[in-house]
Amino acid sequence: MRAAVAAPQHKSSHRLPSLPGAGAECQPQCCSGIPLSNSSASSKSSLAALTLGAIGVVYGDIGTSPLYALKEVFAHGHVPLTPQNIYGVLSLVFWTLTVVVSIKYVLLILRADNNGEGGLIAMLALASQAVKDKPVLRRRLLMLGIFGTAIFFGDGVITPAISVLSAMEGLQVAAPGLEKYVVPLTLLVLTGLFMVQRQGTALVGKFFGPVTVLWFAVLAVLGVVHIFDNPAVLWALSPHYALVFLTAQPTVAFIALGSVVLCVTGAEALYADMGHFGKRPIRLAWFSLVMPALVLNYFGQGAMLLQHPEKVDNPFYQMAPTWALYPLIGLATIATVIASQALITAAFSVTKQAIQLGYLPRLRILHTSVKETGQVYVPFINWSLYLCIVLAVVTFGSSSKLAAAYGIAVTIDMLITTIMTFFVIRYGWKYPWSLSFAATGFFFVVDFIYFGANVVKVFDGGWFPVLIGAVMFMLMMTWKQGRRLMHDRMREDAIDLKSFLESVFIHPPTRVEGTAVFLVSDQGVTPNALLHNLKHNKVLHETNLFVTVRHHEVPWLGFNKRCEVEPLGHNCWQVTLHFGFKNDPNVPEALKLLGARGVQIEEMDTSYFLSRDIVIPTLGAGMAMWREKLFASMHHNASAAADFLGLPTNRVVELGSKVEI
């Protein structure tokens, strides 16, 4: 890897939607410590290593679905346990995996990368860029995408809860008297998991791949054993059985779909983790190991139920011989911890991206690896997730009750991804309307049917992730709108920077040695910190930089796209620093690049001036009073800008001001 440092272009647009990242900083690395580069990815050894990493990180969630998916279809008696229904459900499972995961995500969605990155925020950025000349549509897509991001946090609560609970419920099969320990042991495992988040995932990540490979191998072996006992179950691979089931018993089939969709939970991770591993390893892992193992296990469960319908209470664990139950419970627990870890890590990453795109206040973000910038720990999100997960486990108490809450969060995000993909294909890739509609219309119908099948479960538990998503959406939109109101209010009282400097230098104040860096959110506006400094200290530094930090709707921007600089005269400079939403904003490091433009900065002789605004809610045309008060509280409790921008704490000067909104 090499860092490309070039002189920034003078006067460029604030928005850089299509610039590829360049330089060392824009080379992401995967969670297992395997750096991505063109040369290494092309070699067989690196492809194998990346595929192994993808199996551990990408497929941990979907890999634990056999613990509860098929059980939930027949658990409540709404779907009678008959041979015809078993064949129909197995056919639905197989074709759901094929259509939703293999075709939609693996073959289509993975093509929609934002400079190599995936996930709902990356898709949102692509879609919003594609329709940037349609402001009304763009605003609606942004709202939809942010709502999907908010719902993701609900998914991040349900996944660890249902996964670990379902693993621990194997104790009930091994020894029914241990049932009372399922919830306490689940809470113990989850508590340990969240306590170690501070240490980072680098060490644990090295074991994700091998352990998950072992898990998929066990899934396949358990399934094959029972398929050999009843090979006729393989007839369910034909779509005929799914169609017969859907047409002969539409009401029963509709109810079954609400649980069948659980077999594709975690499919969004295929897209979200594309930046860590690349498309080829993710596709190779799916078709060579993950999908065959899942299909074999589901069909093995079906074969067993055809012969032993009394084992429907927990078909996954009933597949195992008695001597293997406890080792299987242990392996399942580890697998569910891995699945949970992937969701927790993703929650940290999504939070960081949402902060940089301006939809959440600054939070304390700790980097847990000196090599991998993507590995972060957000204490507030960590313990907020933990409290919500504990609440979910205690409130619902079993994986069956949580399953009703699970499907709706998954189907909402799947539906939103499909909608976003249409606009990327139509307006971003410029394909004809008919082709764009054909490419996504079928998936929209499938996703909508699954969504409808889960909507009916809202009052059975689906309200829980929807409530979490609604709260997060309200917080995100309140923050975004509050920031806009602050910006508008400050613009009303703003003083043009160039005009102000011209008036100051008519009778220049005393100049002192050193460099003053004034952080301003609005380019071209005189910062309050400068006004206070001149008013109280009556001095101006020898060199003055007025720095604005911009975050763009691309994941990575390299060093050669980092800086814009405009001379203002009298050794004053207006500087704009550009970062992608996955870059780590580090202002001091970025300012070193100004040396190529003749602006020399001595690090130990530089002071950073920030304005710390106090928000005063007022009655008026802004937001509702309760939202303004909420925004004021969020603004007050946001972490310091100095930490977020990587400023040295011993060289920061903060000057306060009040802003009424």
Side-chain angles (χ1 to χ4, degrees):
M1 295 187 294
R2 58 188 175 85
V5 180
Q9 298 295 318
H10 184 62
K11 287 279 187 183
S12 68
S13 172
H14 294 327
R15 186 173 300 279
L16 307 173
S18 59
L19 295 175
E25 192 174 339
C26 66
Q27 296 289 345
Q29 292 177 317
C30 74
C31 297
S32 55
I34 307 165
L36 299 181
S37 65
N38 292 333
S39 60
S40 64
S42 62
S43 68
K44 292 183 179 180
S45 59
S46 290
L47 178 61
L50 288 169
T51 303
L52 180 64
I55 291 170
V57 176
V58 176
Y59 294 108
D61 188 3
I62 199 171
T64 57
S65 297
L67 284 165
Y68 48 81
L70 206 59
K71 176 183 74 172
E72 290 310 312
V73 176
F74 300 104
H76 306 290
H78 300 302
V79 182
L81 188 63
T82 64
Q84 294 80 4
N85 288 351
I86 292 174
Y87 277 97
V89 168
L90 289 177
S91 186
L92 280 176
V93 167
F94 173 74
W95 287 102
T96 298
L97 287 170
T98 300
V99 171
V100 174
V101 183
S102 298
I103 300 177
K104 175 185 170 182
Y105 280 96
V106 175
L107 297 181
L108 175 63
I109 301 295
L110 284 185
R111 294 186 60 204
D113 66 291
N114 190 344
N115 291 323
E117 291 294 325
L120 193 53
I121 286 186
M123 178 68 82
L124 170 61
L126 284 175
S128 65
Q129 292 164 22
V131 297
K132 61 185 178 182
D133 57 338
K134 306 176 188 302
V136 175
L137 178 60
R138 185 174 185 271
R139 283 196 299 271
R140 291 174 179 172
L141 285 179
L142 284 170
M143 294 276 285
L144 184 64
I146 293 304
F147 179 70
T149 303
I151 286 290
F152 168 80
F153 287 96
D155 191 14
V157 170
I158 300 296
T159 295
I162 193 174
S163 299
V164 179
L165 256 178
S166 59
M168 287 299 174
E169 284 171 350
L171 294 172
Q172 300 172 210
V173 178
L178 297 177
E179 180 179 357
K180 61 183 179 181
Y181 297 109
V182 169
V183 170
L185 286 175
T186 298
L187 294 176
L188 183 63
V189 170
L190 290 169
T191 301
L193 175 62
F194 279 89
M195 287 183 68
V196 301
Q197 293 304 311
R198 176 66 180 83
Q199 307 304 316
T201 59
L203 181 62
V204 181
K206 294 179 181 178
F207 302 98
F208 278 14
V211 171
T212 310
V213 167
L214 175 61
W215 171 251
F216 282 117
V218 170
L219 290 182
V221 170
L222 289 174
V224 167
V225 169
H226 289 278
I227 290 173
F228 271 122
D229 292 338
N230 190 359
V233 75
L234 294 176
W235 284 109
L237 291 170
S238 169
H240 166 76
Y241 289 93
L243 293 174
V244 169
F245 181 54
L246 290 170
T247 55
Q249 306 178 78
T251 303
V252 172
F254 185 73
I255 295 172
L257 287 174
S259 298
V260 168
V261 75
L262 296 175
C263 73
V264 293
T265 57
E268 283 285 334
L270 290 169
Y271 183 45
D273 290 319
M274 176 169 56
H276 292 301
F277 303 100
K279 302 172 187 177
R280 191 179 177 193
I282 290 175
R283 287 170 173 160
L284 181 61
W286 173 251
F287 289 114
S288 65
L289 175 64
V290 178
M291 184 177 179
L294 291 174
V295 171
L296 287 172
N297 192 267
Y298 284 123
F299 276 65
Q301 291 185 45
M304 182 192 69
L305 290 176
L306 286 169
Q307 293 183 312
H308 303 283
E310 71 278 2
K311 295 184 176 181
V312 70
D313 60 318
N314 199 321
F316 176 81
Y317 281 113
Q318 295 282 10
M319 295 174 73
T322 305
W323 61 266
L325 266 179
Y326 287 106
L328 183 59
I329 292 170
L331 180 60
T333 302
I334 296 173
T336 55
V337 166
I338 291 174
S340 302
Q341 179 63 64
L343 262 292
I344 295 167
T345 303
F348 295 157
S349 178
V350 167
T351 299
K352 178 186 172 187
Q353 295 172 27
I355 290 171
Q356 295 188 192
L357 289 175
Y359 285 96
L360 283 175
R362 294 183 302 270
L363 297 173
R364 186 170 175 237
I365 298 177
L366 304 176
H367 291 268
T368 58
S369 172
V370 296
K371 296 180 179 179
E372 301 164 32
T373 61
Q375 289 192 11
V376 296
Y377 168 66
V378 187
F380 179 80
I381 296 297
N382 185 70
W383 295 113
S384 296
L385 280 177
Y386 173 73
L387 290 176
C388 291
I389 290 170
V390 168
L391 180 63
V393 171
V394 173
T395 301
F396 292 92
S398 70
S399 61
S400 292
K401 293 179 180 178
L402 271 170
Y406 201 8
I408 194 165
V410 173
T411 53
I412 287 174
D413 275 347
M414 287 167 51
L415 196 59
I416 291 174
T417 298
T418 300
I419 294 171
M420 294 287 184
T421 303
F422 169 79
F423 289 100
V424 172
I425 295 174
R426 176 67 184 95
Y427 297 104
W429 300 349
K430 306 299 183 182
Y431 281 101
W433 189 93
S434 56
L435 181 60
S436 303
F437 184 80
T440 57
F442 174 70
F443 299 121
F444 178 84
V445 172
V446 172
D447 293 340
F448 190 80
I449 291 173
Y450 276 119
F451 171 70
N454 280 275
V455 165
V456 300
K457 300 190 294 183
V458 166
F459 296 106
D460 293 330
W463 58 269
F464 189 75
V466 172
L467 176 63
I468 294 174
V471 170
M472 284 300 304
F473 181 71
M474 180 269 295
L475 291 174
M476 295 170 82
M477 296 311 298
T478 296
W479 179 257
K480 186 71 172 181
Q481 190 172 352
R483 290 291 297 172
R484 181 180 60 79
L485 291 173
M486 270 190 66
H487 177 269
D488 293 344
R489 185 69 181 88
M490 294 172 71
R491 287 289 298 183
E492 292 176 5
D493 300 327
I495 302 172
D496 178 69
L497 178 60
K498 293 182 179 179
S499 301
F500 178 77
L501 290 177
E502 289 176 4
S503 63
V504 165
F505 286 111
I506 294 175
H507 302 286
T510 303
R511 307 292 289 266
V512 296
E513 293 184 358
T515 300
V517 177
F518 295 93
L519 276 299
V520 291
S521 59
D522 199 359
Q523 192 178 55
V525 170
T526 305
N528 287 330
L530 173 61
L531 298 175
H532 286 297
N533 191 42
L534 287 172
K535 178 180 179 181
H536 297 290
N537 298 324
K538 307 292 193 301
V539 297
L540 197 64
H541 283 72
E542 182 180 4
T543 301
N544 295 274
L545 304 179
F546 301 93
V547 178
T548 301
V549 176
R550 302 286 188 197
H551 294 284
H552 296 279
E553 296 173 351
V554 291
W556 306 95
L557 282 175
F559 293 129
N560 63 331
K561 306 293 184 183
R562 180 73 71 235
C563 299
E564 294 178 55
V565 59
E566 177 186 356
L568 300 176
H570 305 281
N571 219 22
C572 297
W573 308 81
Q574 187 166 276
V575 179
T576 306
L577 303 179
H578 299 283
F579 297 93
F581 60 75
K582 295 200 74 170
N583 286 125
D584 289 315
N586 189 310
V587 170
E589 288 297 318
L591 291 180
K592 292 179 181 179
L593 302 177
L594 295 178
R597 296 296 301 268
V599 184
Q600 300 298 331
I601 300 175
E602 293 294 333
E603 185 174 351
M604 299 306 296
D605 203 22
T606 300
S607 298
Y608 298 87
F609 291 84
L610 293 86
S611 297
R612 189 165 185 86
D613 304 311
I614 300 173
V615 177
I616 308 296
T618 59
L619 292 172
M623 298 183 290
M625 179 56 71
W626 67 269
R627 290 186 67 197
E628 290 192 1
K629 290 181 177 179
L630 175 61
F631 172 73
S633 177
M634 294 170 70
H635 189 272
H636 175 73
N637 290 291
S639 66
D643 295 334
F644 182 73
L645 299 174
L647 307 182
T649 53
N650 61 339
R651 309 201 67 81
V652 173
V653 179
E654 287 192 321
L655 299 170
S657 62
K658 293 183 179 181
V659 180
E660 293 183 354
I661 61 172

